[in-house]
């Protein structure tokens, strides 16, 4: 089957990375896959995957993708298109109409609609809302990455029929990456492994709250993997609290799974999420998760505390209490394996094709 997977920008984390993994998984199953990327971070290249043709457009804004999309749909005539993020979903649907494409289209929403759309007339988010209402009938499936997000979208768009389909997290390729070696002194000094967190060093990730929690967790060390605009502020906070020996920010890593596989506890301190893949990755690696009870995703993933420990958003004391609980009473491996099942590659792909009304082959 000829399939087009589209993402607005390639980065090493978040939605674009999930789309890249999805494209690779489809190719592994024998499909003819093209992965179209609007643009790519300057210091990155889109990784090659067997069976995937990659097209990087160099479009600085999503609207710059419409003409290349129209040309591709007319020339390649894919049978299925998967897109992600609401702005791009609108562009893909418009391009399909302009191209006269017969492709079946699945558009995935990844962030809360309350941050994407507006009811205030004539601003950009209001225009996007009207465009989505007009173009949505062209889609065969509209999905969200969490049940909580489905409820939010149905509040704004009650007739569109959004449904939940999780991201692929558990795949043979991911399992293989868990076994890669880690060359870090904190995993080789004979002391208990550090608590591991990963994500963009951005304000909404709440890493400052997590750092402030560490003095309240006796003997704990914290490793925060990632890069971003808050690095300077977070390093200053670590220094100001005298935590240089207990908190490190080693920067961006290309495979956080190998770190989670050697840790006992993972931490997610976000103020807001869509569906945090990193939380599922940590559980897949056997890490007991601690997560703030932010909208959306953590409570749903952890089933209210069945599969991990929830803490209050923006509350270092609550985060510290949850970390102490996780270290003292880790979640059993069989429970973590149960939590990850909905994110298994075959199950996710089968659900996507069911929603499109297609047999996969």
């Amino acid at each position: 089957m000829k399939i087009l997977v589209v993402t607005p920008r390639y980065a090493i984390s978040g939605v674009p990375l999930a789309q890249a993994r999805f494209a690779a998984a489809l190719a592994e199953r024998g499909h003819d896959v093209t992965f179209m990327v609007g643009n790519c971070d300057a210091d990155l290249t889109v990784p090659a995957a067997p069976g995937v043709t990659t097209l990087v457009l160099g479009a600085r804004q999503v609207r710059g993708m419409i003409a290349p999309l129209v040309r591709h749909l007319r020339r390649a005539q894919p049978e299925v298109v998967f897109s992600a993020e609401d702005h791009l979903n609108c562009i893909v649907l418009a391009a399909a109409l302009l191209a006269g494409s017969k492709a079946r289209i699945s558009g995935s929403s990844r962030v809360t609609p309350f941050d994407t759309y507006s009811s205030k007339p004539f601003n950009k988010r209001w225009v996007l809302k009207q465009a989505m209402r007009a173009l949505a009938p062209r889609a065969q499936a509209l999905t969200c990455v969490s049940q909580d997000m489905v409820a939010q979208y149905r509040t704004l768009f009650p007739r569109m029929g959004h449904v939940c389909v999780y991201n692929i997290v558990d795949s043979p390729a991911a399992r293989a990456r868990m076994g890669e070696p880690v060359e870090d002194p904190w995993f080789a000094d004979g002391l208990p492994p550090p608590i591991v967190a990963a994500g963009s060093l951005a304000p909404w990730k709440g890493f400052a709250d997590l750092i402030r929690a560490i003095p309240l967790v006796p003997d704990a060390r914290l490793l925060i993997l990632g890069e971003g605009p808050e690095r300077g502020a977070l390093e200053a906070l670590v220094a100001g609290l005298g935590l240089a020996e207990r908190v490190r920010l080693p920067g961006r890593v290309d495979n956080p799974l190998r770190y989670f596989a050697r840790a006992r506890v993972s931490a997610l301190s976000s103020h807001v999420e869509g569906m945090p893949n990193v939380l599922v990755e940590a559980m897949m690696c056997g890490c007991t998760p601690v997560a703030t009870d932010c909208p959306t995703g953590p409570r749903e993933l952890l089933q209210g505390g069945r599969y991990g420990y929830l803490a209050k958003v923006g509350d270092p004391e609550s985060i510290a209490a949850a970390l102490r609980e996780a270290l003292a009473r880790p979640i059993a491996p069989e429970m973590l394996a149960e939590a990850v099942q909905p994110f298994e590659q075959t199950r996710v792909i089968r659900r996507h094709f069911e929603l499109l009304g297609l047999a996969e082959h």
Side-chain angles (χ1 to χ4, degrees):
M1 191 175 295
K2 294 184 70 173
I3 299 176
L4 174 65
V5 179
V6 194
T7 192
R9 182 178 68 89
Y10 181 74
I12 203 164
S13 62
V15 174
L17 182 56
Q19 286 293 86
R21 291 174 178 170
F22 185 58
L26 289 168
E28 286 175 12
R29 298 170 72 84
H31 298 291
D32 180 358
V33 180
T34 297
F35 182 42
M36 181 181 288
V37 180
N39 64 73
C40 183
D41 284 3
D43 58 341
L44 297 175
T45 56
V46 181
V52 177
T53 300
T54 300
L55 300 175
V56 180
L57 303 180
R60 293 184 177 274
Q61 295 182 312
V62 172
R63 63 174 177 264
M65 297 177 68
I66 190 164
L69 272 165
V70 169
R71 290 193 295 269
H72 182 84
L73 291 171
R74 286 175 176 167
R75 182 181 66 253
Q77 298 185 7
E79 298 160 81
V80 176
V81 179
F82 291 103
S83 68
E85 298 189 13
D86 288 50
H87 293 77
L88 179 58
N89 293 341
C90 273
I91 292 295
V92 167
L93 293 170
L97 290 169
L98 290 170
S101 171
K102 296 181 180 180
R104 301 185 73 79
I105 298 174
S106 176
S108 176
S109 298
R110 306 301 182 101
V111 298
T112 171
F114 305 125
D115 290 339
T116 305
Y117 300 101
S118 173
S119 297
K120 185 177 180 179
F122 306 114
N123 66 21
K124 289 182 179 179
R125 295 192 297 156
W126 179 86
V127 171
L128 179 64
K129 187 177 181 180
Q130 309 317 308
M132 193 63 200
R133 281 176 170 160
L135 293 167
R138 176 60 185 84
Q140 280 67 45
L142 292 171
T143 69
C144 301
V145 291
S146 74
Q147 297 287 359
D148 285 345
M149 283 183 63
V150 168
Q152 293 177 350
Y153 271 83
R154 288 183 177 176
T155 298
L156 291 184
F157 303 109
R159 299 181 181 178
M160 288 189 189
H162 289 83
V163 296
C164 176
V165 183
Y166 292 129
N167 287 328
I168 294 173
V169 178
D170 187 359
S171 68
R175 294 276 177 179
R177 293 168 68 221
M178 289 165 51
E180 293 180 4
V182 171
E183 296 180 2
D184 186 293
W186 278 8
F187 291 91
D189 58 9
L191 296 176
I195 297 162
V196 177
S200 173
L201 305 185
W204 59 273
K205 282 295 188 180
F207 287 132
D209 305 324
L210 180 57
I211 291 169
R212 291 188 176 98
I214 291 302
L216 306 176
V217 186
D219 301 322
R221 298 179 295 177
L222 172 65
L223 200 65
I224 301 176
L225 310 175
E227 195 53 81
E230 288 288 289
R231 168 170 289 281
L234 294 175
E235 289 177 335
L237 178 61
V238 170
L241 294 174
L243 295 175
E245 300 299 317
R246 298 182 61 189
V247 178
R248 286 176 42 223
L249 291 82
R252 177 184 289 159
V253 299
D254 60 359
N255 178 13
L257 293 175
R258 54 183 173 158
Y259 291 84
F260 287 130
R262 288 160 178 79
R264 293 188 300 176
V265 172
S266 69
L268 184 137
S269 51
S270 298
H271 298 169
V272 64
E273 284 283 354
M275 174 55 80
N277 287 343
V278 68
L279 192 54
V280 186
E281 289 176 333
M283 290 191 289
M284 181 178 70
C285 294
C287 260
T288 293
V290 168
T292 46
D293 191 10
C294 69
T296 59
R299 176 167 288 274
E300 181 178 330
L301 286 174
L302 302 187
Q303 290 293 294
R306 174 178 172 83
Y307 300 129
Y309 296 89
L310 290 164
K312 295 178 182 178
V313 177
D315 187 332
E317 291 187 2
S318 178
I319 294 170
L323 290 172
R324 292 194 298 268
E325 286 287 314
L327 289 165
R329 283 174 284 278
I331 303 297
E334 59 269 20
M335 295 291 289
L336 296 176
E338 179 181 287
V340 173
Q341 287 178 2
F343 301 86
E344 192 274 325
Q345 175 174 296
T346 299
R347 182 180 296 200
V348 172
I349 291 175
R350 183 185 301 123
R351 179 60 175 152
H352 275 293
F353 279 91
E354 287 173 353
L355 291 171
L356 288 169
L358 295 171
E360 188 182 349
H361 294 286

